[in-house]
């Protein structure tokens, strides 16, 4: 019987000891920026800004490589946002998927802006596969990247274009 009480006590401790986190769900929600761009061009989002570099990443909620890439973009955004670097997530999902877009972004700790409902087309370039990323400097497309890349790949591009 003592063993049973000991096991119950240990289980009680395990399930009641919570790791404190500085970020609450509400804090993350306040950081997340979602914009409906249905029937609008993504360029409208950044055209009046004075950015050193823009990383525009097309993604979708059903795309696992996209979500992995978003984790890296979240890190890069937090690291470089003070250097006038803009990262934009362009979800090709419709606004009917807004709740799922929001859940994914919050789960991945995304704080860079996300536009949704975008057309799978950017400056005449048809988006036929995702993820697809455009690196824009001085309002010109410098790189067009098909498929998933990692943190170090994009960090090098940022460093070389600052």
């Amino acid at each position: 019987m003592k063993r049973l009480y000991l096991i119950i006590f240990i289980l009680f401790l395990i399930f009641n000891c919570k790791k404190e986190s500085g970020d609450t769900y509400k804090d993350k929600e306040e950081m997340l920026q979602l914009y409906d761009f249905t029937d609008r061009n993504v360029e409208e989002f950044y055209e009046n800004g004075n950015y050193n570099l823009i990383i525009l990443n097309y993604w979708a909620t059903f795309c696992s490589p996209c979500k992995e890439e978003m984790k890296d973009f979240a890190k890069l955004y937090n690291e470089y946002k003070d250097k006038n670097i803009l990262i934009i997530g362009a979800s090709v999902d419709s606004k009917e998927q807004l709740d799922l877009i929001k859940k994914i972004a919050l789960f991945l700790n995304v704080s860079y802006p996300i536009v949704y409902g975008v057309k799978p087309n950017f400056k005449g370039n048809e988006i036929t596969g995702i993820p697809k990323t455009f690196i824009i400097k001085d309002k010109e497309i410098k790189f067009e990247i098909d498929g998933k890349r990692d943190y170090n790949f994009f960090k090098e591009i940022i460093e070389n274009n600052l």
Side-chain angles (χ1 to χ4, degrees), residues 9 14 29 70 97 111 119 121 125 127 131 144 147 151:
F9 178 71
I14 289 171
E29 259 190 318
M70 289 171 72
Q97 297 294 321
S111 58
K119 296 176 185 175
N121 187 308
N125 297 292
I127 311 300
E144 186 176 329
Y151 171 88

Side-chain angles (χ1 to χ4, degrees), residues 95-109:
K95 64 177 157 183
E96 285 76 28
Q97 297 294 321
L98 180 58
D99 286 340
L100 183 56
I101 293 168
K102 186 175 180 179
K103 284 178 187 176
I104 289 169
L106 290 171
F107 179 76
L108 297 174
N109 292 316

